[in-house]
Amino acid sequence: MGTEGSLDAAMGLAAPGRTHSRQRLRMVRRDAALRALWRAWRADLGPTAAADLIAQHWRRYATSGWPRHWNAGTEPAAEPEATLHRLMVKGQQPLSANRLRKILGENGHFPPMELTSPTDDL
């Protein structure tokens, strides 16, 4: 069991259709960062409106701001671009508004427990 994949398999986490533990942890951290962004940037909005706005900004940032910051080696200081930049540095791609609604807790579902530091090691 010297590799991560074999540990996942030994624990039964690598079965077909299941997410590996490392990938699942990245998703949990991504989701926590997005919920923190919502609270810090637009807590005045409900989950549906916030999801729509974040999705719109993320698509726009991915096509214009991200390439500019990446090529210049700079990081934006203001939200929402700061969080979106950190997510994209870690390989995350823009999510749909529907997926963001689920992450932000739409449809009566409570969001999962938060990590202590959601943006660390996305």
Side-chain angles (χ1 to χ4, degrees):
M1 289 201 327
T3 66
E4 178 184 314
S6 61
L7 178 59
D8 281 347
M11 295 176 63
L13 299 174
R18 300 201 66 192
T19 304
H20 287 278
S21 58
R22 185 178 206 93
Q23 182 181 356
R24 179 66 187 135
L25 181 57
R26 287 185 69 209
M27 289 170 54
V28 167
R29 288 180 171 154
R30 175 204 64 198
D31 295 355
L34 289 166
R35 285 190 296 276
L37 170 62
W38 172 30
R39 287 189 301 274
W41 180 52
R42 292 303 305 259
D44 60 315
L45 299 177
T48 300
D52 292 345
L53 190 59
I54 292 170
Q56 176 186 8
H57 276 270
W58 201 348
R59 283 190 311 270
R60 187 178 311 134
Y61 181 71
T63 59
S64 61
W66 166 250
R68 185 176 61 251
H69 289 125
W70 180 257
N71 291 329
T74 60
E75 297 181 20
E79 294 296 359
E81 290 82 8
T83 296
L84 300 177
H85 179 83
R86 286 190 302 273
L87 289 167
M88 294 189 73
V89 163
K90 295 297 184 172
Q92 300 290 339
Q93 296 300 312
L95 299 176
S96 70
N98 188 47
R99 180 70 189 119
L100 285 164
R101 282 184 207 107
K102 291 176 184 174
I103 291 169
L104 299 183
E106 181 59 26
N107 301 324
H109 299 290
F110 291 103
M113 298 288 288
E114 300 294 337
L115 297 172
T116 305
S117 183
T119 58
D120 289 347
D121 193 30
L122 292 169

